[in-house]
């Protein structure tokens, strides 16, 4: 009979580690899941410190921590061994936890304090606590089976290799960004070259925004001190690397459910366009205009409507490229469905009034200049889920026909912080007593009373596309045009005269070529245009490269050398043209009549050498003429600092545009000279009478001349304000109440004094003048 075993002799089941199970469940599974979801929905860590989940792959890797700990927890509860595949996942997730523990280590003291203050500090400590849970669970499983699940060092090594490989582009980008911000020119250049080869463009774009947040690469976090706290430096580097302006790209999207985080605008109320805001869009646009072909001028009104889809107020900002010589002479804002006209005043005065009202979240519109033939438009607030409507009136001189008809280029955006609605089209309608034609999409029409028109719908041209154009194919400007000065109302008139004289070619011409990547697609056209360099002037080519610019002297007897030199030029990234322009000025200024032809793309950099360039043009204002042929609309910080720049109209083919310019300096060439003067007058022929826009163009020229003299700046502001013009010394602002105007010392213009389309009596005068001119020509022929 077998002996009965006592209870003490039965095999004991290992006691369940209840404390370890509870600890692993709470801090190894629940807390990491909560941290993962909290950060994904709020982005709090990214906003305050850094971005722990920059990509979906980082999210998946972090999710392995609670997943592997949950499998360890199940093994503890069941008292079983961990399967090999789960053991590998456990060791791998432990490596991920070690990685994130090191990343969060610098902010651990803050997280510990936040536990008491806010109760959310455990989120910052969750990787360390999860790692501690994994260690305790391994010990518990080892004490039960004598063998821990998997080789820990192998999983950690694999996790680090995977994470370092994922973060390699981010690490190289961060290192390159730090080098590009160096005080050493050689180090900056090496950083730019590194970023062009291995940089992460999306990360560089995120760094251009203050709320971007950094990635979690271990090596890269050693280089975060400057690059991520200075978005202006990041924006400069972004251009140098990519050759594009950062706000020409949509703003980076964030994985946050909080609208205030997604839409906050750090450049609100500033003096530049700044960052993009994805919640604003231009949803409606129309351009209405009239053209007086005899006086070679026109007037147009651009009406725009913006929509804000966010739940917060937003500011719309745009830099607009005006037609060459154009000036804003009207600004209107719709407030509660009512049109409010702008007040004109000194530049600082209207900006201060705008800034004050922006802080109060009221309804202002501000228009100021942003360099030659550019204006900066700012409007705030575009209401939440609402619209805002504005109108700009632009007085425009038409380009005289050097070769072909008179052209009027339509304004276009050179920089903006908003999107364009997918179906946006500009509704365009221009009228004149002369037949008109327009860019593709505009149809010529004959209207009542012998009026002609072009109308249609046009897409907004891309920055590298030419501005849309309206022209009078069979018209030439009259030799004489005049208009009474009804604004001053003192009996004076403004007289405009066109005359042809022999061209005075410059003795030295330096052609400065921007070496930015955006010029690459125009290289062939550029070579064709430069093949016709005039032989009666000394010519040199200066290429704006990353290195110090060098002069290449053109030999008119052997142009093959010049073509070979141009053919080997390489266009990369974005190049600062300041030093190249300075070298060109130094060479051209050795003659009494020098000229620079500057062919370039966007120039958003304001480098230190730009100030030296500005000094040259200020001290010898008339010695070297600068002809600006921009092949891309975009910010141009260099041109903003220079006065007297002559814009060369571009019509799409740089070769043709360049040949037309250089043809003016060929032997025997003539040039059209335009003059406007204000004087007493009587007995002027009625057939030559034009509109008040002729007076406004005279006033704009006078303001430009007066503002060049510091002693006459006050008089220039007074003149610009009287004639209601936006110039380098004046601006326009629309405020909401009379009290706001009074506080700012401004007075809105009377509604009856603003220009309209057409102006009162303008068409009648033009029709009478056209009939009398036709009768006069017929009488002379008989």
């Amino acid at each position: 009979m077998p002996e009965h075993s006592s209870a003490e002799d039965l095999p004991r089941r290992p006691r369940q580690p209840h404390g370890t199970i509870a600890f692993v469940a709470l801090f190894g599974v629940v807390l990491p899941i909560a941290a993962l979801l909290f950060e994904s929905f709020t982005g709090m860590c990214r906003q305050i410190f850094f971005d722990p989940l920059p990509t979906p792959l980082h999210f998946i890797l972090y999710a392995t921590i609670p997943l592997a700990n949950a499998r360890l927890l199940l093994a503890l509860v069941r008292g079983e061994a961990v399967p090999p595949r789960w053991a590998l996942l456990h060791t791998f997730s432990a490596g991920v936890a070690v990685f994130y523990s090191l990343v969060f280590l610098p902010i651990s003291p803050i997280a510990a304090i936040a536990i008491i203050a806010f109760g959310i500090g455990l989120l910052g400590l969750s990787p360390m606590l999860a790692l501690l849970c994994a260690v305790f669970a391994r010990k518990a499983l080892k004490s039960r089976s004598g063998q821990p699940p998997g080789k820990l060092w192998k999983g950690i090594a694999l996790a680090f290799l995977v994470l370092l490989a994922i973060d390699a582009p981010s690490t190289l980008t961060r290192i390159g960004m730090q080098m590009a911000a160096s005080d050493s020119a050689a180090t900056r250049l090496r950083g730019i070259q590194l970023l062009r080869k291995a940089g992460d463009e999306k990360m560089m774009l995120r760094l251009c925004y203050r709320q971007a947040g950094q990635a979690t690469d271990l090596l890269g976090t050693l280089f975060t001190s400057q690059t991520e706290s200075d978005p202006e430096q990041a924006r400069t580097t972004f251009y140098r690397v990519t050759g594009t302006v950062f706000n020409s790209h949509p703003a980076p999207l964030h994985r946050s459910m909080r609208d205030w985080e997604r839409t906050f605008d750090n450049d609100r109320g500033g003096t530049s366009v700044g960052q993009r805001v994805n919640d604003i869009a231009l949803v409606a646009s129309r351009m209405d205009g009239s053209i007086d072909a005899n006086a070679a001028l026109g007037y147009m009104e651009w009406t725009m409507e913006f929509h804000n889809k966010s739940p917060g107020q937003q500011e719309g900002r745009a830099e607009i490229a005006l037609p060459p010589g154009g000036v804003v002479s009207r600004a209107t804002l719709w407030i509660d469905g009512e049109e409010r006209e702008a007040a004109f005043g000194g530049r600082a005065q209207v900006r201060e009034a705008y800034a004050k009202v922006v802080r109060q979240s009221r309804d202002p519109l501000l228009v100021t200049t942003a360099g030659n033939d550019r204006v900066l438009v700012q409007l705030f607030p575009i209401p939440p889920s609402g619209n805002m409507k504005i109108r700009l009136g632009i007085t425009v001189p038409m380009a005289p026909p050097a070769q072909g008809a008179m052209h009027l280029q339509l304004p276009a955006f050179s920089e903006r912080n908003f999107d364009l609605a997918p179906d946006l089209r500009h509704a365009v309608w221009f009228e004149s007593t002369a037949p008109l034609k327009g860019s593709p999409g505009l149809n010529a029409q004959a209207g009542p009373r012998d009026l002609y028109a072009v109308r249609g719908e046009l897409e907004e041209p891309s920055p590298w596309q030419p501005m849309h154009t309206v022209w009078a194919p069979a018209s030439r400007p009259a030799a004489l045009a005049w208009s009474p000065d009804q604004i001053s109302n003192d009996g004076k008139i403004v007289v405009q005269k066109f005359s042809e004289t022999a061209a005075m070619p410059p003795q030295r011409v330096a052609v400065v070529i921007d070496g930015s990547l955006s010029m690459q697609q125009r290289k062939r056209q550029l070579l064709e245009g430069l093949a016709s360099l005039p032989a009666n002037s000394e010519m040199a080519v200066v290429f704006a490269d990353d290195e110090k610019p060098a002069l290449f002297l053109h030999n008119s007897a052997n142009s093959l050398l010049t073509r070979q030199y141009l053919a080997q030029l390489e266009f990369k990234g974005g190049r600062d043209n300041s030093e190249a322009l300075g070298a060109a000025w130094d060479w051209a200024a050795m003659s009494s009549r020098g000229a620079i032809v500057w062919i370039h793309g966007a120039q958003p950099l304001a480098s230190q050498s730009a100030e030296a360039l500005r000094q040259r043009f200020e001290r010898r204002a008339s010695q070297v003429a600068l002809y600006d042929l921009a092949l891309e609309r975009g910010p141009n910080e260099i041109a903003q600092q220079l006065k007297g720049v002559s814009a060369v109209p571009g019509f799409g083919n740089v070769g043709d545009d360049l040949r037309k310019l250089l043809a003016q300096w060929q032997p025997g060439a003539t040039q059209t000279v335009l003059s406007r003067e204000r004087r007493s007058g009587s007995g002027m022929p009625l057939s030559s009478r034009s509109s008040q826009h002729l007076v406004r163009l005279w006033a704009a020229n006078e303001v430009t001349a007066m503002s060049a003299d510091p002693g006459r700046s006050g008089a220039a502001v007074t003149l610009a304000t009287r004639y209601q013009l936006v110039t380098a010394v004046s601006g326009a602002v629309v405020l909401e109440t009379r009290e706001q105007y009074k506080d700012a010392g401004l007075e809105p213009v009377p509604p009856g004094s603003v220009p309209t389309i057409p102006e009162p009596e303008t068409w009648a005068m033009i029709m009478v003048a056209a009939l009398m001119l036709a009768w006069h020509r017929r009488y002379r022929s008989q």
Side-chain angles (χ1 to χ4, degrees):
M1 184 175 182
E3 296 182 3
H4 293 282
S5 298
S6 63
E8 290 78 3
D9 296 330
L10 294 174
R12 294 184 177 182
R13 184 180 181 183
R15 189 175 58 179
Q16 299 294 337
H18 296 295
T20 301
I21 290 176
F23 187 78
V24 173
L26 180 60
F27 295 105
V29 180
V30 176
L31 183 60
I33 292 176
L36 194 65
L37 296 177
F38 184 84
E39 177 62 23
S40 298
F41 278 85
T42 68
M44 179 173 290
C45 182
R46 175 175 57 79
Q47 285 293 310
I48 301 175
F49 300 110
F50 55 83
D51 188 357
L53 306 170
T55 67
L57 193 53
H58 285 82
F59 181 95
I60 295 172
L61 292 176
Y62 193 95
T64 63
I65 298 175
L67 179 63
N69 283 344
R71 188 62 184 88
L72 292 180
L73 180 65
L74 183 62
L76 287 173
V77 172
R78 293 180 177 177
E80 63 184 18
V82 179
R85 292 184 178 179
W86 283 99
L88 177 61
L89 180 64
H90 151 66
T91 57
F92 180 84
S93 69
V96 176
V98 171
F99 173 87
Y100 275 97
S101 297
L102 294 174
V103 171
F104 276 97
L105 187 60
I107 65 170
S108 296
I110 301 176
I113 296 174
I115 294 175
I116 302 174
F118 306 105
I120 61 173
L122 286 173
L123 298 174
L125 299 175
S126 63
M128 301 179 188
L129 294 173
L131 179 62
L132 192 61
C133 290
V135 172
F136 286 168
R138 283 179 62 85
K139 288 184 177 180
L141 291 171
K142 181 179 179 180
S143 65
R144 176 178 300 167
S145 62
Q147 183 69 28
K151 297 291 185 179
L152 191 59
W153 69 270
K154 291 184 178 181
I156 293 177
L158 178 61
F160 268 65
L161 288 175
V162 171
L163 284 163
L164 290 176
I166 294 173
D167 289 333
S170 179
T171 299
L172 291 174
T173 300
R174 199 180 309 281
I175 294 173
M177 294 289 284
Q178 182 68 20
M179 294 173 64
S182 172
D183 294 332
S184 168
T187 304
R188 288 198 302 270
L189 180 56
R190 288 197 299 270
I192 295 298
Q193 291 172 342
L194 172 63
L195 291 170
R196 287 175 183 168
K197 294 179 180 178
D200 183 347
E201 185 173 321
K202 291 183 178 179
M203 179 183 176
M204 287 189 289
L205 182 60
R206 288 198 302 269
L207 294 176
C208 294
Y209 291 77
R210 294 184 186 278
Q211 58 191 25
Q214 67 187 47
T216 57
D217 51 298
L218 281 177
L219 294 177
T221 51
L222 300 175
F223 301 90
T224 62
S225 57
Q226 296 182 19
T227 58
E228 303 202 4
S229 61
D230 187 1
E232 291 298 329
Q233 176 61 44
R235 294 170 185 181
T236 297
T237 302
F238 185 87
Y239 167 73
R240 293 292 307 276
V241 173
T242 66
T244 58
V245 185
F246 86 101
N247 58 17
S248 64
H249 303 262
L253 298 176
H254 305 313
R255 303 170 314 280
S256 171
M257 300 299 290
R258 296 182 298 176
D259 289 321
W260 67 266
E261 176 188 342
R262 178 168 53 90
T263 59
F264 186 73
D265 182 5
N266 287 290
D267 292 310
R268 178 182 296 174
T271 59
S272 62
V273 173
Q275 70 181 61
R276 285 284 287 270
V277 179
N278 289 330
D279 294 322
I280 311 174
L282 177 65
V283 295
S285 170
R286 58 179 289 181
M287 297 180 182
D288 299 89
S290 61
I291 290 176
D292 181 355
N294 286 330
L297 58 82
Y299 172 72
M300 63 165 294
E301 292 181 345
W302 189 1
T303 305
M304 293 170 275
E305 188 169 356
F306 300 85
H307 177 72
N308 171 23
K309 66 181 179 181
S310 76
Q313 296 176 339
Q314 298 290 350
E315 180 186 43
R317 300 183 297 272
E319 184 179 286
I320 296 176
L322 301 178
V327 57
V328 172
S329 53
R330 184 182 188 183
T332 311
L333 172 66
W334 274 258
I335 300 178
D336 297 329
E338 180 183 350
E339 296 182 24
R340 303 286 183 89
E341 297 296 334
F344 290 80
R347 186 183 183 94
Q349 184 182 20
V350 297
R351 178 160 290 283
E352 181 181 357
Y354 177 82
K356 182 177 180 180
V357 179
V358 165
R359 290 192 293 268
Q360 299 173 357
S361 298
R362 303 304 290 270
D363 284 292
L365 165 68
L366 177 67
V367 185
T368 54
T369 58
N372 298 290
D373 301 328
R374 301 280 181 99
V375 291
L376 176 64
V377 179
Q378 298 173 256
L379 55 149
F380 180 88
I382 307 176
S385 302
N387 291 10
M388 196 168 185
K389 186 177 179 181
I390 68 170
R391 175 174 56 210
L392 299 180
I394 307 170
T395 300
V396 186
M398 297 184 70
Q403 289 183 0
M406 292 185 295
H407 288 79
L408 187 153
Q409 291 183 314
L410 304 185
F413 295 114
S414 59
E415 195 179 7
R416 51 186 168 83
N417 79 328
F418 49 83
D419 296 326
L420 303 179
D423 57 347
L424 177 74
R425 300 291 186 274
H426 302 295
V428 178
W429 193 316
F430 274 75
E431 290 186 339
S432 176
T433 57
L436 298 177
K437 287 188 176 181
S439 296
L442 296 180
N443 300 314
Q445 294 182 343
R449 303 184 304 277
D450 293 328
L451 290 179
Y452 297 89
V454 288
R455 60 179 298 270
E457 294 186 347
L458 300 174
E459 292 186 353
E460 172 67 18
S462 301
W464 53 87
Q465 293 177 327
M467 298 161 71
H468 296 303
T469 307
V470 174
W471 66 91
S475 299
R476 296 186 63 85
L480 173 69
W482 66 278
S483 176
D485 186 352
Q486 298 174 349
I487 297 175
S488 293
N489 197 25
D490 57 358
K492 298 289 184 68
I493 65 172
V494 172
V495 179
Q496 171 181 280
K497 294 181 179 179
F498 280 98
S499 60
E500 294 289 330
T501 62
M504 185 69 70
Q507 295 171 337
R508 282 191 169 187
V509 179
V511 180
V512 177
I513 301 175
D514 180 14
S516 301
L517 183 62
S518 60
M519 299 282 291
Q520 177 64 43
Q521 59 182 342
R522 308 288 185 89
K523 184 176 180 178
R524 183 182 59 81
Q525 296 178 5
L526 183 61
L527 296 180
E528 293 174 354
L530 290 174
S532 57
L533 293 175
N536 56 329
S537 300
E538 293 184 70
M539 305 291 296
V541 177
V542 186
F543 185 65
D545 203 346
D546 291 324
E547 307 287 349
K548 191 173 183 63
L551 225 71
F552 180 87
L553 297 178
H554 169 67
N555 183 357
S556 58
N558 186 5
S559 60
L560 177 62
L561 296 176
T562 303
R563 290 197 296 269
Q564 291 175 343
Y565 168 78
L566 295 172
Q568 56 86 32
L569 297 179
E570 293 185 0
F571 299 90
K572 294 181 180 179
R575 267 74 180 264
D576 179 10
N577 290 189
S578 300
E579 288 193 21
L581 287 169
W585 192 96
D586 292 339
W587 180 79
M590 293 180 184
S591 66
S592 58
R593 295 194 314 274
I596 298 174
V597 179
W598 182 24
I599 309 170
H600 64 93
Q603 286 291 298
L605 305 182
S607 62
Q608 295 178 350
S609 54
E611 188 61 33
L613 179 66
R614 179 180 178 182
Q615 182 188 46
R616 291 176 172 93
F617 279 93
E618 287 182 350
R619 301 293 293 180
R620 296 288 187 272
S622 59
Q623 188 165 356
V624 178
L626 177 58
Y627 297 87
D628 184 1
L629 177 53
L631 305 187
E632 178 184 3
R633 281 185 314 282
N636 192 338
E637 294 292 333
I638 297 176
Q640 280 199 38
Q641 300 182 34
L642 303 179
K643 296 180 180 179
V645 178
S646 299
V648 179
F651 299 101
N653 188 306
V654 60
D656 293 341
D657 299 333
L658 193 55
R659 278 191 292 269
K660 290 179 181 179
L661 174 63
L662 297 177
Q664 302 176 28
W665 299 331
Q666 297 287 358
T670 60
Q671 61 181 354
T672 302
V673 177
L674 167 67
S675 65
R676 298 188 188 100
E677 63 173 339
R678 184 175 179 270
R679 59 180 175 83
S680 300
S682 60
M684 300 298 291
L686 183 61
S687 60
S688 301
R689 179 169 175 170
S690 185
S691 67
Q692 289 298 291
H693 293 297
L694 183 60
V695 179
R696 295 184 178 96
L697 291 176
W698 164 84
N701 293 340
E702 287 294 304
V703 170
T704 300
M706 295 169 66
S707 60
D709 182 359
R712 304 181 67 192
S713 58
V717 172
T718 301
L719 185 64
T721 303
R722 180 191 308 159
Y723 288 88
Q724 303 169 12
L725 303 174
V726 175
T727 67
V729 297
S730 62
V733 64
V734 181
L735 305 178
E736 187 175 20
T737 65
R738 292 290 305 178
E739 289 74 17
Q740 292 170 353
Y741 283 112
K742 185 177 181 181
D743 291 343
L746 296 168
E747 184 68 28
V749 301
S753 68
V754 296
T756 58
I757 298 177
E759 281 193 308
E761 91 273 343
T762 296
W763 284 125
M765 290 290 184
I766 292 176
M767 291 296 299
V768 171
L771 290 174
M772 292 185 66
L773 183 61
W775 176 85
H776 179 68
R777 289 177 176 175
R778 183 177 179 183
Y779 175 80
R780 289 188 62 184
S781 65
Q782 291 177 349

